[in-house]
Amino acid sequence: MNIGSAFQEFWNSTGVMNFTIGQVIMILVGLVLIYLAIAKRYEPLLLFTIGFGAILANIPIAEISGPEGFLGIFYQAGIANGLFPLLIFMGVGAMTDFGPMIANPKTMLLGAAAQVGIFFALLGALVLNMLPGMTFSLADAASIGIIGGADGPTAIYVTSQLSMRLLGPIAVAAYSYMSLVPIIQPPIIRAFTTKKERVIKMEQLRHVTKLEKMVFPIAALGLCIILLPTATPLIGSLMFGNLAKECGAVDRISDTLQHALINIVTIFLGLAVGSRMESQAFLTFETLGILALGLVAFAIGTMTGLIFAKIMNKVSKEQINPIIGAAGVSAVPMAARVASKVGQEENPQNFLLMHAMGPNVAGVLGSAVAAGILLAVVPVIM
Amino acid sequence: MNIGSAFQEFWNSTGVMNFTIGQVIMILVGLVLIYLAIAKRYEPLLLFTIGFGAILANIPIAEISGPEGFLGIFYQAGIANGLFPLLIFMGVGAMTDFGPMIANPKTMLLGAAAQVGIFFALLGALVLNMLPGMTFSLADAASIGIIGGADGPTAIYVTSQLSMRLLGPIAVAAYSYMSLVPIIQPPIIRAFTTKKERVIKMEQLRHVTKLEKMVFPIAALGLCIILLPTATPLIGSLMFGNLAKECGAVDRISDTLQHALINIVTIFLGLAVGSRMESQAFLTFETLGILALGLVAFAIGTMTGLIFAKIMNKVSKEQINPIIGAAGVSAVPMAARVASKVGQEENPQNFLLMHAMGPNVAGVLGSAVAAGILLAVVPVIM
Amino acid sequence: MNIGSAFQEFWNSTGVMNFTIGQVIMILVGLVLIYLAIAKRYEPLLLFTIGFGAILANIPIAEISGPEGFLGIFYQAGIANGLFPLLIFMGVGAMTDFGPMIANPKTMLLGAAAQVGIFFALLGALVLNMLPGMTFSLADAASIGIIGGADGPTAIYVTSQLSMRLLGPIAVAAYSYMSLVPIIQPPIIRAFTTKKERVIKMEQLRHVTKLEKMVFPIAALGLCIILLPTATPLIGSLMFGNLAKECGAVDRISDTLQHALINIVTIFLGLAVGSRMESQAFLTFETLGILALGLVAFAIGTMTGLIFAKIMNKVSKEQINPIIGAAGVSAVPMAARVASKVGQEENPQNFLLMHAMGPNVAGVLGSAVAAGILLAVVPVIM
Amino acid sequence: MSSIEQGLILMLVGVSVVFIFLVLLVFIIKIMSFIVLRYFPEKEEPPKKPSGGAGSRDAEIAAAIAAATAYSKQ
Amino acid sequence: MSSIEQGLILMLVGVSVVFIFLVLLVFIIKIMSFIVLRYFPEKEEPPKKPSGGAGSRDAEIAAAIAAATAYSKQ
Amino acid sequence: MSSIEQGLILMLVGVSVVFIFLVLLVFIIKIMSFIVLRYFPEKEEPPKKPSGGAGSRDAEIAAAIAAATAYSKQ
Ligand code: NA
Ligand code: NA
Ligand code: NA
């Protein structure tokens, strides 16, 4: 070893000498995600961390996402075993107010209707298999479908259990479309509703008592235990956080779930998800399919939510503004705000936000239930 | 696979079809714990999380407390290895003021006397072996006895080292009785003290300097190192937190131990402890024995604290109000408040709170010392 | 087993009966570190926790730093794999303002010059091998040299990757000298600069825009990826935190990195590093060598920073006050404050703090780069 | 096309169960609200209970200690 | 003394690369600043954008909900 | 009944050691307090030192930077 060969050795270990084209592209993808997070405020917490994780994971030599790398450690600690999304869900539960849903429970059905998008996308993935380069198994298709749940932690949880190889593109699609809701949904809302429907005014929601809010998480978890045990990790975590918030006896827990814990876990989760965006896994034809199917899932979910609202108006005497059906996809609270904004554009006296929050949080339950079904049935019928 | 069989498959995976009666009972037990936490404010942080953990652990199919379930992950990460109770103890140390104890050190002996309950319950467990269905080993008996330490983290730590199978009932007994102290102790206090004793007025405690409070944790840890190394994980963690608080140079550490860290760990610890409440482990005749022995331990500890205070009054000229002997069981700060309240009922001019805090925090040391002895001797003589 | 033998057994398990002289000395070393942390405020967060860890690690019987002990668990969780220093670096990034460096980029070269101390110490370690009892491998020497980086997390990270056996003394040396900067540097500054140089007044730094501060972390990481992938775990973590801070879109992440996360990790890291201070590893002739070499590294780094500043003044027309060259060692922000203070003593109108912050934070990059080189080359040429 | 058939079955089962679940939940909420509102109506402006368990108790104790200490210094 | 030779080589490589790295970074920063200042100058007193993503959105929603609830009680 | 005998022995050892430990601690505290109060009495109202290590230093720096930046903009 002389000086020359030492410099040679160093030069051979530089990035310049070791890049693959795929890694360069993925680093650019990471930069784009960060740009969207910062400049466009698209789900900034997640797209920022996922984007940064993607950059770090595609650095040659460093092996940051390998089993000994620090992103690999995050991955093993909380993605491979599904832990991080559940901790996020505890925090989500502690931040969610189910009051508007309890005040007008029938709007929950809109949160069911909007989940139809999940199953259309699932079917779409299986149909896409007819194209060359697409080889989605049923488990893959189920994971892709859950993008339509419009709920990041649920999508990550399901994918970590069923189809880990697709985690990168699925997470990116889920969070991207969640932040694109203000762009995706308004035209669909206008296309599937009439002006007359959109100006329907809804009466103010009744007051929901503290005790109702406390009994609800227990009741919902009870139903889930009886009917769908495979959804209980998700629904259980959500209701743990929600009961902690509503009961008023454990504010330290509620505060911790909403702040310190969810923030720390978000950092780890985002970086770890980003670390799965290695070029060979991401730069495939299948990723395009996933992005397309994710969009389909969101669009169809929005549509079925709207249509079901119109059907309910046909059946029931109490009229609801069908715009709030679009909020059933979840994407809390973005979709509810979009519904509220579109409603106010039609009629400035129309305050739909609270009414849209009902289907909106019901959509979280709906996609967790759909996740539970997929987790229960897919491994059996495959 | 056709539609019919898919629904059949789904139906077979519902909770309804898979419940055992034991699981149903345990879910009800979990609900009772949550009710006590919320409605009665019995150790809300712990009974809430333990109760919720018990519910989740007893859901059929979901295997949430199994090695791959998220409660199982918490369990492995911090209960099996004793880590979580030690982190809690760091936070307890950072929240404890040993000043009243340093101001009147002889009241520490009351914190020793009240630990006698631990060893009575230990003995009681071995005696109960004569009943059919009770098969407590010496390690089991030691873990049961430590309930009398009236200190949750110590009980969980000892049990995790000696007798993991009993963790569920022991933790529930420990935290339940700690919150029942206001019900358990007053009649015992009144039975074992005379009116004349209960009105004894104690002079105000002297001011304790900052330096004394800083030297104390080092001195106490030093004694523990010399005399009882097996207690140093507990006492060391406690004194780490206490020195961080008192020294004034590391407020970031002290604040973190008291808030972010202890809150996060409490959530994980409670859920993980609850996850050990599976029906086959909890719904046994032995659990009844444990609950009975825990009550015996608390009662005898209270008694011996009171009696020792009366003995001290016989021996010393400086009189102490024997009520504060009851605070020696620890259950910080509940037992000290109970002592203070009973004292004030007898004599409204009687402010015993600070005087009771001395034996109260000494009781924490006392039970940690007892834990160290059990951990040192039990594995050897078994 | 009778009573006598039980007491005998207990007595045999006391600390008194099991101490080695080395353990006693190491406990005293731990106390000294805690004293320095509290009374002298020498890097209090780290020396307090390291000192306490050292005490706990040297308790006989308890095995607290063993694989099953709680310090051993911290060690495995975050030191052995390099995770904790990287998390700290994220927090450091989120607390660092690179503005002064961007305003006057050429002062960055001072942050390069001051890293020469690293390599002198490395060489010194290899020379010391000529003494009996010193057997430093090249990896050992590299880890010792990095003390001169004046950056705790970098030193711990490099040592954890190259020379774990020396972690205790290296970490203690790094943090001790970092806090001794106000004592070490002023005489060297005065010795290597003239009065005339020390009174040089520097013009105010220009305003740096938000966008420049946001592009910088991306640009610096990009360069690191291209040139030195082995440094990307460190630089990547630093720039992750810095971009999170500067971009203004992810304040929850930035706040968490700066507070909850860095505080928790500091506690774990300090205790775990302390746990490596077992007597047989620490009480060696080599430790004295490491302490001496660390001092040499700091002194030479300070010198080369000063000298390079004087050379720059020879070459460039724009004069800089060479005092700020001393800040290039990093030891953020202590070294910058020392430079500022020395400057003001010479000329009360001289406000050097902002000017010294440039080389100061550049020194962090410089030592991370040096770390990357050592990690890239040492394993190859050994 | 067995895989697409599986997908169709999954869709049918999935959509059905999601609706069954949420319909049942609607009924449960209605019953729950009925019972709560009838038998456990909210009292007017309940006095805000101290919450947070250990936290608030510690705070109380701390306040008491502070008070006592201040008192003892007089 | 091969080990000291190795050390010398390491020193040479190390010092060189540290300087190369930071010299390059100086140039990159200068170019970056030039471009940013010329093409993306800072607007005068930009209105403070809401930050914190989910956090602030949640806060908005919470405020909206609170407002709506208060309204509905009148 | 060997197991109960073991329990009795454990009780004896345990109660003894707990008392020995706390009695020793009483003496240690008394000696400690005696020394501290005699040789290191508390000064009247010590000025509150800045605490928190890195935290407060960072804050100082931040303040200095803010001041300097503001100054440089004038
Ligand atoms: Na949804
Ligand atoms: Na106790
Ligand atoms: Na440096």
Side-chain angles (χ1 to χ4, degrees):
Chain A
M1 168 73 51
N2 59 26
I3 294 178
S5 65
F7 271 101
Q8 184 65 49
E9 201 63 65
F10 167 75
W11 180 246
N12 289 342
S13 78
T14 59
V16 189
M17 294 299 287
N18 291 279
F19 263 124
T20 65
I21 180 71
Q23 288 171 325
V24 175
I25 295 173
M26 287 313 297
I27 286 176
L28 295 176
V29 170
L31 285 174
V32 169
L33 294 179
I34 291 173
Y35 172 79
L36 294 175
I38 296 175
K40 303 285 178 185
R41 304 285 158 113
Y42 285 179
E43 288 286 332
L45 300 177
L46 268 298
L47 291 191
F48 180 85
T49 46
I50 291 177
F52 219 99
I55 294 174
L56 295 178
N58 284 283
I59 299 173
I61 309 281
E63 304 263 323
I64 294 177
S65 65
E68 316 247 298
F70 80 96
L71 294 191
I73 294 166
F74 290 156
Y75 171 77
Q76 286 302 330
I79 302 291
N81 55 22
L83 182 60
F84 289 162
L86 297 178
L87 291 174
I88 300 276
F89 239 46
M90 289 183 186
V92 170
M95 292 195 266
T96 299
D97 180 1
F98 286 104
M101 193 179 91
I102 299 170
N104 193 4
K106 79 175 175 187
T107 61
M108 289 178 62
L109 299 180
L110 302 171
Q115 308 314 314
V116 171
I118 292 175
F119 298 98
F120 263 94
L122 185 160
L123 212 57
L126 297 174
V127 171
L128 276 192
N129 274 341
M130 285 186 265
L131 294 180
M134 302 274 190
T135 56
F136 296 125
S137 69
L138 194 61
D140 295 339
S143 302
I144 294 168
I146 208 74
I147 297 171
D151 193 80
T154 300
I156 292 170
Y157 183 77
V158 168
T159 308
S160 74
Q161 306 297 302
L162 290 182
S163 179
M164 192 58 96
R165 71 179 186 100
L166 300 179
L167 183 64
I170 287 177
V172 167
Y175 282 107
S176 302
Y177 291 131
M178 279 164 66
S179 41
L180 291 175
V181 152
I183 293 164
I184 297 171
Q185 287 200 323
I188 301 176
I189 293 173
R190 292 197 195 93
F192 283 80
T193 52
T194 65
K195 169 85 187 173
K196 200 178 132 198
E197 286 168 337
R198 291 198 296 276
V199 297
I200 293 176
K201 231 181 146 229
M202 295 179 72
E203 57 181 293
Q204 276 158 28
L205 291 173
R206 73 167 175 86
H207 172 67
V208 173
T209 71
K210 206 78 195 139
L211 186 58
E212 286 175 276
K213 289 190 185 177
M214 283 164 63
V215 174
F216 169 73
I218 297 287
L221 177 57
L223 178 60
C224 189
I225 291 173
I226 290 169
L227 204 60
L228 197 57
T230 47
T232 50
L234 285 165
I235 302 271
S237 298
L238 192 73
M239 296 308 167
F240 174 72
N242 190 246
L243 184 56
K245 173 199 171 211
E246 299 296 358
C247 76
V250 290
D251 291 350
R252 278 173 87 114
I253 290 176
S254 169
D255 289 347
T256 302
L257 293 176
Q258 288 180 53
H259 302 106
L261 189 55
I262 198 172
N263 291 344
I264 291 172
V265 173
T266 298
I267 294 168
F268 293 172
L269 174 131
L271 289 171
V273 167
S275 80
R276 292 303 103 182
M277 291 175 66
E278 284 153 328
S279 57
Q280 63 274 31
F282 199 91
L283 295 178
T284 65
F285 196 44
E286 290 184 342
T287 295
L288 291 181
I290 292 169
L291 291 172
L293 290 165
L295 186 54
V296 166
F298 266 71
I300 294 188
T302 305
M303 270 166 48
T304 50
L306 293 165
I307 292 168
F308 196 83
K310 294 166 73 160
I311 295 172
M312 283 171 71
N313 277 351
K314 291 260 150 61
V315 176
S316 154
K317 59 181 186 298
E318 194 192 359
Q319 296 294 292
I320 59 179
N321 188 318
I323 293 175
I324 70 171
V329 294
S330 43
V332 181
M334 188 72 92
R337 289 170 78 198
V338 167
S340 168
K341 194 149 160 276
V342 173
Q344 211 149 14
E345 282 165 14
E346 301 288 342
N347 176 356
Q349 300 303 311
N350 221 352
F351 298 102
L352 291 181
L353 183 58
M354 294 300 293
H355 297 283
M357 285 305 292
N360 204 211
V361 297
V364 176
L365 295 180
S367 41
V369 169
I373 298 160
L374 297 174
L375 292 171
V377 180
V378 168
V380 175
I381 69 175
M382 266 180 88
Chain B
M1 166 74 52
N2 59 26
I3 294 178
S5 66
F7 272 101
Q8 184 66 47
E9 203 63 64
F10 167 76
W11 181 246
N12 288 342
S13 77
T14 60
V16 188
M17 294 299 286
N18 291 279
F19 264 125
T20 64
I21 180 72
Q23 288 172 323
V24 175
I25 295 173
M26 287 312 297
I27 286 177
L28 294 176
V29 170
L31 285 173
V32 169
L33 294 180
I34 291 173
Y35 172 80
L36 294 175
I38 296 175
K40 302 285 179 185
R41 304 285 157 109
Y42 284 180
E43 289 287 331
L45 299 177
L46 268 298
L47 291 191
F48 181 85
T49 46
I50 292 176
F52 219 99
I55 293 174
L56 295 178
N58 284 282
I59 298 173
I61 310 278
E63 303 263 323
I64 296 177
S65 65
E68 317 246 297
F70 80 97
L71 294 191
I73 294 167
F74 291 156
Y75 172 77
Q76 286 302 329
I79 301 292
N81 56 21
L83 182 60
F84 288 162
L86 296 178
L87 291 174
I88 300 275
F89 238 46
M90 289 184 187
V92 170
M95 292 195 265
T96 300
D97 180 3
F98 285 105
M101 194 180 89
I102 299 171
N104 193 5
K106 80 175 177 189
T107 61
M108 289 177 64
L109 299 180
L110 301 171
Q115 308 314 315
V116 172
I118 292 174
F119 298 97
F120 261 94
L122 186 162
L123 211 60
L126 298 174
V127 172
L128 275 192
N129 275 341
M130 284 187 267
L131 295 180
M134 302 273 191
T135 56
F136 297 125
S137 68
L138 194 61
D140 295 340
S143 303
I144 295 169
I146 208 73
I147 298 172
D151 194 79
T154 300
I156 292 170
Y157 182 77
V158 169
T159 308
S160 74
Q161 305 297 303
L162 290 182
S163 178
M164 192 59 95
R165 72 179 185 99
L166 300 179
L167 182 64
I170 287 177
V172 167
Y175 283 106
S176 302
Y177 291 132
M178 278 164 66
S179 41
L180 291 175
V181 152
I183 294 164
I184 298 171
Q185 287 199 325
I188 301 176
I189 294 173
R190 292 196 194 94
F192 282 81
T193 52
T194 64
K195 169 87 186 171
K196 203 178 131 196
E197 286 168 337
R198 292 198 296 275
V199 297
I200 292 177
K201 235 183 142 224
M202 295 179 72
E203 56 181 293
Q204 276 158 27
L205 292 172
R206 73 168 175 88
H207 171 67
V208 173
T209 71
K210 204 79 194 141
L211 186 58
E212 286 176 276
K213 288 189 185 178
M214 283 163 64
V215 175
F216 168 73
I218 296 287
L221 177 57
L223 178 62
C224 188
I225 291 173
I226 290 169
L227 204 61
L228 196 57
T230 48
T232 51
L234 285 166
I235 301 269
S237 298
L238 191 73
M239 295 308 167
F240 174 73
N242 190 244
L243 184 56
K245 174 200 171 208
E246 299 295 0
C247 76
V250 291
D251 291 350
R252 277 173 88 113
I253 290 176
S254 169
D255 288 347
T256 302
L257 294 176
Q258 288 179 54
H259 301 108
L261 189 55
I262 198 172
N263 290 344
I264 291 172
V265 173
T266 298
I267 294 168
F268 293 172
L269 174 131
L271 288 171
V273 167
S275 81
R276 293 303 102 180
M277 291 175 66
E278 283 153 328
S279 58
Q280 62 274 31
F282 199 91
L283 296 177
T284 65
F285 195 45
E286 289 185 342
T287 296
L288 291 181
I290 291 169
L291 291 172
L293 290 165
L295 186 55
V296 165
F298 266 70
I300 293 188
T302 304
M303 270 166 49
T304 50
L306 294 164
I307 292 169
F308 197 82
K310 295 168 71 160
I311 294 172
M312 282 172 71
N313 276 351
K314 291 261 150 59
V315 177
S316 154
K317 60 181 183 300
E318 194 192 359
Q319 295 295 291
I320 59 179
N321 188 318
I323 294 175
I324 69 171
V329 293
S330 45
V332 181
M334 189 70 94
R337 289 170 78 199
V338 166
S340 169
K341 192 149 162 277
V342 173
Q344 212 149 13
E345 281 165 14
E346 301 288 342
N347 177 356
Q349 301 303 313
N350 221 352
F351 298 104
L352 290 181
L353 183 59
M354 294 300 293
H355 297 284
M357 284 306 291
N360 205 210
V361 296
V364 176
L365 295 180
S367 41
V369 168
I373 299 160
L374 296 173
L375 292 171
V377 180
V378 166
V380 176
I381 69 176
M382 264 181 86
Chain C
M1 168 73 52
N2 59 26
I3 295 177
S5 66
F7 271 101
Q8 185 65 47
E9 203 62 65
F10 166 76
W11 180 246
N12 289 342
S13 78
T14 59
V16 190
M17 292 302 285
N18 290 279
F19 264 125
T20 65
I21 180 70
Q23 289 172 323
V24 175
I25 294 173
M26 287 312 297
I27 286 177
L28 295 176
V29 169
L31 285 174
V32 169
L33 294 180
I34 291 173
Y35 172 80
L36 295 175
I38 295 175
K40 304 285 178 185
R41 304 283 158 112
Y42 285 0
E43 288 287 333
L45 300 178
L46 267 299
L47 291 192
F48 181 85
T49 46
I50 292 177
F52 219 100
I55 294 174
L56 295 179
N58 284 283
I59 298 173
I61 309 278
E63 303 263 323
I64 295 176
S65 64
E68 317 247 297
F70 79 98
L71 294 191
I73 293 167
F74 290 157
Y75 171 77
Q76 285 302 330
I79 301 291
N81 56 21
L83 182 61
F84 289 163
L86 297 178
L87 291 174
I88 300 275
F89 238 46
M90 289 184 187
V92 170
M95 291 195 266
T96 299
D97 180 1
F98 285 104
M101 195 180 89
I102 299 170
N104 193 5
K106 79 174 179 190
T107 61
M108 288 177 63
L109 299 180
L110 302 171
Q115 308 314 314
V116 172
I118 292 174
F119 298 97
F120 262 94
L122 184 162
L123 211 59
L126 298 173
V127 172
L128 275 193
N129 275 341
M130 284 187 265
L131 294 180
M134 303 274 191
T135 57
F136 296 125
S137 69
L138 193 62
D140 294 341
S143 303
I144 294 168
I146 208 73
I147 298 171
D151 194 79
T154 301
I156 292 170
Y157 183 76
V158 169
T159 308
S160 73
Q161 306 297 302
L162 290 181
S163 180
M164 192 58 97
R165 71 179 185 99
L166 300 179
L167 183 64
I170 286 177
V172 167
Y175 283 106
S176 301
Y177 291 131
M178 279 165 65
S179 42
L180 291 175
V181 152
I183 294 164
I184 297 171
Q185 287 200 325
I188 301 176
I189 293 173
R190 293 199 193 92
F192 282 81
T193 52
T194 64
K195 169 86 186 172
K196 200 179 134 198
E197 286 167 337
R198 291 198 295 276
V199 297
I200 293 177
K201 235 184 143 223
M202 295 180 71
E203 56 181 293
Q204 277 158 25
L205 290 173
R206 74 169 174 87
H207 171 67
V208 174
T209 71
K210 204 77 195 140
L211 187 58
E212 286 176 276
K213 289 190 186 178
M214 282 163 65
V215 175
F216 168 73
I218 297 287
L221 177 57
L223 179 61
C224 188
I225 290 173
I226 290 169
L227 204 61
L228 196 57
T230 47
T232 50
L234 285 166
I235 302 270
S237 298
L238 192 72
M239 295 310 167
F240 174 73
N242 191 245
L243 183 57
K245 173 200 171 209
E246 299 294 359
C247 76
V250 291
D251 291 350
R252 277 172 88 112
I253 290 176
S254 170
D255 289 347
T256 302
L257 293 176
Q258 288 179 54
H259 301 106
L261 188 56
I262 199 173
N263 291 344
I264 291 172
V265 173
T266 298
I267 294 169
F268 293 173
L269 174 130
L271 288 171
V273 166
S275 80
R276 292 303 103 180
M277 291 176 67
E278 283 153 329
S279 57
Q280 62 274 30
F282 199 91
L283 295 177
T284 65
F285 196 45
E286 289 184 342
T287 296
L288 291 182
I290 291 169
L291 291 172
L293 290 165
L295 187 55
V296 166
F298 266 71
I300 292 188
T302 304
M303 270 167 48
T304 51
L306 293 165
I307 291 169
F308 196 82
K310 294 168 71 160
I311 294 172
M312 283 173 70
N313 277 351
K314 290 261 149 61
V315 175
S316 154
K317 60 182 187 296
E318 194 193 358
Q319 295 294 292
I320 60 179
N321 188 318
I323 294 176
I324 69 169
V329 294
S330 45
V332 181
M334 188 71 92
R337 289 170 78 199
V338 167
S340 169
K341 195 150 161 275
V342 173
Q344 212 150 12
E345 282 166 12
E346 301 288 343
N347 175 356
Q349 300 303 312
N350 221 351
F351 297 103
L352 291 181
L353 183 59
M354 294 300 292
H355 297 283
M357 285 306 291
N360 205 210
V361 296
V364 176
L365 295 180
S367 40
V369 169
I373 298 160
L374 297 174
L375 292 172
V377 180
V378 167
V380 175
I381 70 175
M382 264 181 86
Chain D
M1 284 224 307
S2 152
S3 139
I4 290 183
E5 276 174 12
Q6 285 181 334
L8 282 168
I9 293 171
L10 205 49
M11 185 175 200
L12 206 79
V13 175
V15 173
S16 312
V17 177
V18 170
F19 268 98
I20 292 169
F21 190 99
L22 287 171
V23 167
L24 286 174
L25 195 52
V26 169
F27 283 111
I28 290 173
I29 290 178
K30 289 196 169 191
I31 295 166
M32 180 272 282
S33 288
F34 178 82
I35 297 172
V36 166
L37 294 176
R38 161 157 286 194
Y39 299 105
F40 307 95
E42 209 158 56
K43 287 153 199 88
E44 284 300 305
E45 287 293 296
K48 205 167 167 73
K49 278 188 191 174
S51 63
S56 65
R57 291 211 316 259
D58 293 344
E60 274 180 54
I61 290 293
I65 289 174
T69 310
Y71 190 64
S72 71
K73 279 184 189 167
Q74 292 186 328
Chain E
M1 284 223 308
S2 153
S3 140
I4 289 184
E5 275 175 13
Q6 285 180 333
L8 282 167
I9 291 171
L10 206 49
M11 186 175 199
L12 206 78
V13 176
V15 173
S16 310
V17 177
V18 170
F19 268 99
I20 291 170
F21 190 99
L22 287 171
V23 167
L24 286 175
L25 195 51
V26 170
F27 283 110
I28 290 173
I29 290 179
K30 288 196 169 191
I31 295 166
M32 179 272 281
S33 288
F34 177 82
I35 295 172
V36 167
L37 295 177
R38 162 159 286 196
Y39 299 104
F40 307 94
E42 208 157 56
K43 288 155 200 86
E44 283 300 307
E45 288 292 297
K48 201 164 169 77
K49 279 187 191 175
S51 62
S56 64
R57 289 211 319 259
D58 293 345
E60 274 179 56
I61 290 293
I65 289 174
T69 310
Y71 190 65
S72 71
K73 279 184 187 167
Q74 291 184 334
Chain F
M1 284 227 305
S2 155
S3 139
I4 290 183
E5 275 175 12
Q6 285 181 333
L8 282 167
I9 291 172
L10 204 49
M11 186 176 200
L12 205 78
V13 175
V15 173
S16 309
V17 177
V18 170
F19 268 98
I20 292 169
F21 189 98
L22 287 171
V23 167
L24 286 174
L25 195 52
V26 169
F27 283 111
I28 291 174
I29 290 178
K30 289 196 169 191
I31 295 166
M32 179 272 281
S33 288
F34 177 82
I35 296 172
V36 167
L37 294 177
R38 162 157 286 194
Y39 299 104
F40 307 95
E42 209 157 57
K43 289 156 199 85
E44 283 301 305
E45 286 294 296
K48 203 166 168 74
K49 279 188 192 174
S51 62
S56 65
R57 289 211 318 259
D58 294 344
E60 275 180 55
I61 290 292
I65 289 175
T69 310
Y71 190 64
S72 70
K73 279 185 189 167
Q74 289 184 334

